[in-house]
Amino acid sequence: MFIKHNVKTWTGKVIFHVDINSFYSSCEEIRNKSLKGKRHAVIMTNQTSGTITKGVVATCSYEAKKFGVRSGMPLYKAVELCPDLILLKVDKSYYTQISERIMKIIADFADIFEQASIDEAYMDCTNKINSSISIEEYAQQIKKTIKTKSGGLLTSIGVSTSKSIAKIASDFQKPDGLTIISNEEIPEFLDPLEVERVSGIGTKTQKILKEKMKIKTIGQLAQTDVQILIENFGKKIGTWMWRVSRGEDSEQVIPREDHISLSNETTLNTFTHNREEIKKCLNELVDELHKRITMNKYQFRTIAIKLMRTDFRIETRETSYTNYQKSRKSIEFVMDFLLDRFILEDEVLNSPDLNNSNNRTLPVRKVGLKVSNLIRDQEFKDIQARQKTLLDYID
Ligand SMILES: [Mg+2]
């Protein structure tokens, strides 16, 4: 079943679902290495001090899972199953910090990126896979990046042609799994799985399917007359689960609504002061960035250039248009204006006041380009439409 997946054998979109394994517990292991290999669990509790005596398991280590401890389990039950369980209090702000950092890093691997929760994301990577890189290799790169940049987090990745199948696939092998299911492999993969493997088929729906309708597997669901599903669950849900079971779900990967910026950056081959070289690099970044703006159907108002000096200090200069923009030209147009506002060596040499060793400007090692103040094309149209209506009334 598991063949090499490359651009030649693949039809349809390439959708990744990335899930960080035992996220909260793994974060705890990052800051306290002595927890590694031990049975421990992060407990949601309202106790502010002292030893934890009540609450619910949020996440636990794989060693604790072997004893039957599960997320959502009451503490007393978990301790009953695993008496020497190490209990840790949930620290959401610490996990959020790690999550934000990781999500930002892996977003660059996607054409379209959608964070689904603190430890999960969907990525449309259709245009990233080409003749020089297979899906396996690309997925391994993402896994490796997360592991090294986080200090040890493991992920399970599922890849398929739709979000729902990618999600089922990432769930298929844990921890540290990679499951890739092409269009041709979907029926063989899905058919034997139980219906509750579909994210969105909850306890209630599952019970109706299994007990009342005798539909136990996704394969049986796919064989069911869609009308019968509609009668039982209504048109929207009935059609949805039928389509998912047949691998025909076409839900798009959509960036989070609060996505505040898109950016692109690169490390220079040789660190430099040279304005022309820096500009050349920025021009190369415009291509990729503008492609992402267009694919995500965004418009932007603010453009920023970021330079990182060789001592890793970061300097940013930004400027904003009054109106939303979407052309590549409107990024290029402000590039010189923004570059003028950085002190580059050329200018320092020409300026007697600044030309002493204390004020020497360090060369640039990395350049970045960012657009923010984003709006979706559709939102923009809605606003225009509303304004038009308003003017119609004023008239
Ligand atoms: Mg997870």
Side-chain angles (χ1 to χ4, degrees), residues 18-24 59 117 119-120 174:
V18 179
D19 177 72
I20 306 175
N21 301 134
S22 293
F23 183 58
Y24 293 178
T59 322
S117 72
D119 67 337
E120 278 175 56
K174 279 181 174 177

Side-chain angles (χ1 to χ4, degrees), residues 13 68 106 112 125 159 186 209 212 240 280 345 347 370:
K13 289 190 174 178
I106 61 168
I112 310 171
C125 299
V159 190
I186 289 174
L209 282 169
K212 186 182 156 203
W240 164 78
K280 208 176 107 208
E345 183 75 0
E347 298 152 52
K370 181 176 91 173

Side-chain angles (χ1 to χ4, degrees), residues 160-166 168 183 186-187 190-191 198-199 201 209 218-227 229-230 233-252:
S160 194
T161 53
S162 71
K163 281 168 77 173
S164 55
I165 317 280
I168 297 171
N183 240 332
I186 289 174
L190 280 189
D191 286 359
V198 176
S199 167
I201 295 189
L209 282 169
I218 301 180
Q220 290 169 339
L221 188 59
Q223 293 306 315
T224 308
D225 185 345
V226 67
Q227 283 309 321
L229 296 171
I230 292 172
F233 302 103
K235 181 145 196 239
K236 206 174 156 205
I237 295 174
T239 320
W240 164 78
M241 63 171 74
W242 188 72
R243 288 181 64 94
V244 169
S245 72
R246 303 167 65 88
E248 290 168 3
D249 166 41
S250 59
E251 200 193 316
Q252 305 277 317

Side-chain angles (χ1 to χ4, degrees), residues 203-367:
T203 327
K204 238 172 91 184
T205 313
Q206 181 202 141
K207 224 173 153 182
I208 300 172
L209 282 169
K210 286 187 161 174
E211 288 172 18
K212 186 182 156 203
M213 304 173 74
K214 308 288 173 225
I215 299 170
K216 293 193 165 43
T217 65
I218 301 180
Q220 290 169 339
L221 188 59
Q223 293 306 315
T224 308
D225 185 345
V226 67
Q227 283 309 321
I228 295 171
L229 296 171
I230 292 172
E231 278 162 33
N232 279 275
F233 302 103
K235 181 145 196 239
K236 206 174 156 205
I237 295 174
T239 320
W240 164 78
M241 63 171 74
W242 188 72
R243 288 181 64 94
V244 169
S245 72
R246 303 167 65 88
E248 290 168 3
D249 166 41
S250 59
E251 200 193 316
Q252 305 277 317
V253 176
I254 298 169
R256 277 184 303 161
E257 287 306 323
D258 60 348
H259 216 130
I260 47 160
S261 67
L262 287 174
S263 61
N264 195 9
E265 59 181 38
T266 185
T267 305
L268 303 171
N269 290 332
T270 33
F271 304 159
T272 184
H273 287 104
N274 187 284
R275 183 190 164 108
E276 283 316 304
E277 265 175 56
I278 292 168
K279 200 177 161 188
K280 208 176 107 208
C281 246
L282 284 165
N283 274 322
E284 283 163 18
L285 293 179
V286 179
D287 277 330
E288 168 94 25
L289 184 63
H290 187 252
K291 213 188 287 166
R292 275 165 57 199
I293 295 167
T294 315
M295 285 201 62
N296 288 294
K297 300 190 169 59
Y298 274 129
Q299 299 187 26
F300 55 90
R301 282 210 304 114
T302 304
I303 298 147
I305 289 178
K306 181 179 89 174
L307 300 184
M308 187 194 269
R309 304 284 183 179
T310 44
D311 63 350
F312 294 93
R313 250 185 325 111
I314 291 169
E315 295 166 25
T316 311
R317 303 286 183 271
E318 63 170 49
T319 185
S320 295
Y321 284 97
T322 324
N323 299 314
Y324 284 101
Q325 307 291 321
K326 56 178 171 186
S327 73
R328 194 199 139 98
K329 268 215 165 67
S330 47
I331 303 176
E332 287 168 328
F333 186 70
V334 296
M335 211 92 98
D336 277 309
F337 167 72
L338 287 172
L339 274 178
D340 283 344
R341 291 163 57 197
F342 289 99
I343 298 174
L344 298 168
E345 183 75 0
D346 302 324
E347 298 152 52
V348 173
L349 287 173
N350 294 330
S351 154
D353 296 340
L354 289 169
N355 194 15
N356 65 56
S357 57
N358 290 334
N359 272 327
R360 269 192 99 80
T361 315
L362 290 166
V364 172
R365 73 186 307 272
K366 207 171 185 178
V367 299

